[in-house]
């Protein structure tokens, strides 16, 4: 399934190294989630359209994600990582990562992509809201929770394989999961 699902590090390492490794794992996860998510057929204007990953928050995290996806594509769509400071309803992202920043900015970004075919991912920041995928740290492992209700409302489907790897799944209303 996913070769790298949880990674731990020693408690003797410096906090800065722990944080760097944690962010590197999260950056890799963002790309590794893609094969387990189905976007609607009308998500892209053309086969040549980019697959956009938008990052709100730490600019260093955007660099990590850019490095993690270098040379990768989703079907015929080249992946582009964009660091953005705000999102509007007109923004085009297939994945939004909102984390490590201002709770109000995270909340506004999640509102901007509500009911749009966007996989929104958050970083264990419940004050700003939770995404469809929410990263959490458990026993020094980066793990994730999934909110199927949000996924259904955004018109995307999450693979049962990915659901089985989540530490928690918020179910969708009966009869709504594709």
């Amino acid at each position: 399934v996913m070769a790298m699902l949880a990674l731990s590090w020693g408690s003797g390492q410096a906090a800065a190294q722990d944080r760097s490794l944690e962010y590197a794992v999260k950056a890799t996860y963002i790309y590794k989630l893609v094969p387990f998510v189905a976007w609607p057929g009308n998500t892209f204007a053309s086969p040549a359209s980019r697959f956009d990953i938008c990052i709100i928050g730490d600019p260093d995290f955007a660099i990590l994600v850019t490095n993690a996806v270098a040379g990768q594509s989703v079907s015929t769509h080249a992946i582009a990582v964009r660091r953005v400071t705000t999102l509007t309803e007109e923004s085009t992202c297939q994945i939004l990562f909102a984390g490590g920043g201002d709770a109000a900015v995270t909340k506004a970004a999640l509102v901007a992509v509500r009911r749009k075919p966007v996989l929104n991912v958050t970083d264990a920041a419940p004050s700003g809201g939770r995404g469809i995928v929410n990263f959490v740290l458990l026993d020094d492992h980066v793990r994730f929770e999934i909110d199927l209700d949000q996924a259904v409302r955004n018109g995307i489907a999450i693979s049962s394989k990915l659901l089985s790897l989540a530490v928690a799944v918020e179910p969708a209303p009966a009869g709504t999961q594709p």
Side-chain angles (χ1 to χ4, degrees), residues 26-28 30 53 55 60-70 81:
K26 290 175 182 178
T28 302
I30 288 176
I53 299 174
I55 309 291
D60 292 335
F61 186 72
I63 292 168
L64 288 172
V65 175
T66 299
N67 292 338
V69 304
V81 177

Side-chain angles (χ1 to χ4, degrees), residues 1-7 25 28-29 32-33 35-36 162 165:
V1 177
M2 292 168 90
M4 194 267 319
L5 289 175
L7 184 62
V25 170
T28 302
Y29 259 127
K32 296 289 187 177
L33 294 170
F36 301 97
L162 186 61
L165 299 171

Side-chain angles (χ1 to χ4, degrees), residues 21 26 34 46-47 60 64 75 81 94 103 112 120 129 148 150 160 168 173:
L21 183 55
K26 290 175 182 178
V34 172
S46 77
D60 292 335
L64 288 172
S75 186
V81 177
Q94 282 68 55
N120 53 57
L148 274 179
Q150 274 194 64
S160 61

